[in-house]
Amino acid sequence: ALPIYVAPLMLFGSELMLLIHGDDFFTPTAARAIREAVSALEALPQVRDVMWMDRAPPLNLFGLREPALPDHRASQRRFDSAKETALGNPLIAGQLLSTDGRTMLLSIEVDWFYVRSNADCTTVLVKTVKDVLQSHKLDFEVGVTGEMPIRLVMSAASQENDRKFQYIAYGVILILATILFRGPSAV
């Protein structure tokens, strides 16, 4: 058999990515919950599009789209087969789904017109997904990463450091002024 060379799916254009970590995504409950979570995300005004493993480009001969995650009414045997297929798909495994099948990536395209606060890009998205997953009694961890959340963290840390060094500078100036002018009344 000839080797298949496939270019990696480009996820770097997305400013925001949600990571869902759990034991098994290939169960009827998890499949239903993840689809509902994606629908809930897409219903938010600040979310333009969600790219996830179910929307990976097809690799079959006819270019027919087949979901990576079976319908929640499918048998467990079908879920096991889908997991094996997804982990063998170079567009999914290691990119949209970790190679051990325990972490899923949702790449989110943001509509910046509807973003009113920093929370709209982070907390709101995570809470939306967590609420759906918890309504199905799934104990999956949800995190956010990407260029925008990293910039927000760096900005908050920078502001905190700026304030700290500003207070230190005020203290040093006060001490030096007291020494130079030989008394607090002159200062």
Side-chain angles (χ1 to χ4, degrees):
L2 296 172
I4 298 174
Y5 297 102
V6 179
L9 188 64
M10 297 303 289
L11 298 171
F12 307 111
S14 174
E15 301 103 349
L16 215 65
M17 291 175 254
L18 287 182
L19 295 172
I20 304 173
H21 183 75
D23 291 331
D24 193 6
F25 299 116
F26 292 89
T27 64
T29 305
R32 186 176 196 172
I34 291 166
R35 282 201 173 91
E36 285 181 20
V38 170
S39 295
L41 281 173
E42 290 178 331
L44 295 173
Q46 68 266 33
V47 176
R48 184 175 295 149
D49 188 40
V50 179
M51 174 61 177
W52 65 296
M53 71 178 193
D54 231 23
R55 296 189 180 146
L59 287 180
N60 58 38
L61 180 63
F62 302 106
L64 301 173
R65 190 170 292 280
E66 183 179 330
L69 206 54
D71 186 74
H72 67 277
R73 295 175 294 240
S75 67
Q76 187 57 46
R77 190 173 63 133
R78 174 71 180 103
F79 277 101
D80 294 340
S81 171
K83 182 176 185 177
E84 192 175 305
T85 302
L87 291 175
N89 185 334
L91 297 175
I92 296 175
Q95 298 194 60
L96 298 171
L97 182 68
S98 63
T99 54
D100 65 357
R102 296 177 51 122
T103 304
M104 181 185 299
L105 184 133
L106 306 177
S107 180
I108 298 175
E109 187 180 336
V110 178
D111 188 347
W112 294 106
F113 182 75
Y114 294 102
V115 175
R116 300 290 178 243
S117 70
N118 292 344
D120 288 345
C121 297
T122 54
T123 317
V124 172
L125 301 176
V126 171
K127 184 179 179 338
T128 301
V129 173
K130 274 187 178 179
D131 289 347
V132 172
L133 295 175
Q134 287 174 350
S135 73
H136 288 275
K137 297 176 178 50
L138 291 171
D139 191 29
F140 289 171
E141 295 175 38
V142 181
V144 65
T145 188
E147 184 180 335
M148 185 48 57
I150 290 171
R151 283 186 183 188
L152 291 174
V153 169
M154 287 173 50
S155 174
S158 175
Q159 288 174 358
E160 187 178 312
N161 285 340
D162 287 350
R163 236 178 274 118
K164 181 174 70 173
F165 287 117
Q166 188 175 13
Y167 293 139
I168 291 170
Y170 290 154
V172 169
I173 289 170
L174 184 63
I175 291 169
L176 288 174
T178 305
I179 292 170
L180 287 173
F181 295 118
R182 297 189 180 112
S185 60
V187 172

